[in-house]
Amino acid sequence: MLYKDGVEVTFEPTSFVSWLRNSVAVRAVAVDSAGALARLAEAQPHGLVALGLLTGAQIGSQLLETAVRLAQPPAAIAVGGARLASALSAPFPSVVVVRRDGRPWAVLDDPRSRASVEAFLRAHALPLLVPLTATEPAFRRLVRAHPVRLEVLLFHRAHELPPTIVTEESKDALAAARQSAVRFGGRAVFAAFDFFANDPDEITMYSLKPETLPAAVVVSNRGAVDEKRWSSKAPLPADSVREARAALDALVEPALRERAPSPPPPAGWSELTPPPGFEPPPERVAVDASGRATAAGGAGAVPL
């Protein structure tokens, strides 16, 4: 039974379905300049925007919103037109994953179907370093369902007392993982597992102990008969981001060589160099209880 202003309202089945769809619909924000887009990206917890540079007909059909509803990327949703595409040096029409983490922007040229946009967003609209926590299971599902079947898992201990202070070991390991993720972007999915933000027993599945953290494990084809793992033999170097990055790279490189070659990307997928104004935020130095890192100098929270 539905009521409006205290009066019972009767819906025909078709009108009720329309009302329900409109009530839960994903809404895109209209942006008309690179500056507005940069501000929108900066306001997002993970700095991601799924941007549709679309024709009026494509915007009217909710092509982007429908794909986002199914892919569920951790990103803001925005639409723009040919003028914004020109300002960004992007093709028109297209869908672009806008990010502020040092990686190129992924571009889907001439999007024609909901399925093509959904697959594109599943592949590209993930944070540089995905935070795996017990309170946000959606990120685990996104990593498991990612078409790139190579996971680089960083296990660390950030939330010691007080919970807002990151340990030096975790700080260096997280910085190293972000640098490595930029290098291997598109070929591996990088994720961070905080011992204090998850079930502590989970690390035993990877033959790890709390005193061996931070450590890294690379998993190829999880759950398949040919699943394979590569693990760091010792804790990642704790006093040098450069050495920790080298140790991570040394794990990922043989995994990429030994696994089966990935299929080529679908037609229409490309990359775009971000324009000025979309530089990565300052280096992270502290982590709060929600898994968000605070930029140096206290200039606000930015994601892991």
Side-chain angles (χ1 to χ4, degrees):
M1 199 74 70
L2 296 174
Y3 293 86
K4 181 178 181 181
D5 298 328
V7 179
E8 181 181 338
V9 178
T10 301
F11 282 89
E12 294 296 328
T14 54
S15 63
F16 176 76
V17 170
S18 297
W19 169 82
L20 183 61
R21 285 176 175 170
N22 288 333
S23 298
V24 299
V26 174
R27 303 293 184 183
V29 177
V31 291
D32 57 4
S33 69
L37 180 61
R39 290 189 293 273
L40 179 62
E42 185 176 6
Q44 304 314 305
H46 299 284
L48 295 173
V49 179
L51 173 65
L53 300 168
L54 305 173
T55 65
Q58 289 172 319
I59 293 175
S61 70
Q62 294 195 331
L63 171 66
L64 179 62
E65 291 90 337
T66 303
V68 164
R69 192 180 303 118
L70 295 169
Q72 298 185 334
I77 317 302
V79 291
R83 181 177 299 178
L84 179 58
S86 177
L88 299 174
S89 299
F92 181 83
S94 65
V95 174
V96 181
V97 174
V98 176
R99 52 197 318 135
R100 297 181 63 244
D101 54 21
R103 283 188 57 186
W105 293 359
V107 179
L108 171 60
D109 193 7
D110 194 18
R112 297 190 178 187
S113 70
R114 183 272 306 162
S116 66
V117 178
E118 179 189 353
F120 172 76
L121 293 176
R122 287 186 187 276
H124 295 288
L126 274 182
L128 183 68
L129 187 59
V130 183
L132 301 182
T133 66
T135 58
E136 294 186 275
F139 281 119
R140 293 175 182 261
R141 293 194 295 270
L142 291 172
V143 170
R144 300 293 186 265
H146 199 276
V148 173
R149 304 294 295 156
L150 190 69
E151 302 170 21
V152 182
L153 307 177
L154 171 67
F155 295 86
H156 66 106
R157 296 188 297 174
H159 299 301
E160 296 192 275
L161 295 176
T164 55
I165 302 301
V166 67
T167 63
E168 288 297 318
E169 293 84 356
S170 284
K171 181 180 73 172
D172 291 344
L174 290 167
R178 284 189 290 269
Q179 294 178 10
S180 190
V182 171
R183 177 186 175 189
F184 296 108
R187 293 182 287 168
V189 178
F190 283 70
F193 182 104
D194 182 6
F195 177 79
F196 292 103
N198 291 280
D199 180 353
D201 292 335
E202 282 193 71
I203 67 170
T204 61
M205 298 170 53
Y206 300 91
S207 302
L208 297 175
K209 298 179 181 179
E211 57 268 23
T212 65
L213 306 184
V217 178
V218 179
V219 183
S220 175
N221 293 330
R222 176 188 296 277
V225 294
D226 59 344
E227 176 181 318
K228 189 172 182 180
R229 297 183 179 185
W230 296 258
S231 301
S232 51
K233 303 301 182 182
L236 295 176
D239 55 355
S240 169
V241 174
R242 180 178 298 177
E243 292 181 9
R245 156 76 185 278
L248 272 173
D249 289 358
L251 276 180
V252 179
E253 288 168 346
L256 288 171
R257 289 195 301 266
E258 295 177 30
R259 69 191 299 264
S262 299
W269 288 21
S270 61
E271 292 185 342
L272 175 69
T273 301
F278 293 87
E279 294 78 11
E283 186 60 57
R284 288 75 163 172
V285 297
V287 178
D288 66 21
S290 68
R292 291 161 62 92
T294 303
V302 292
L304 291 175

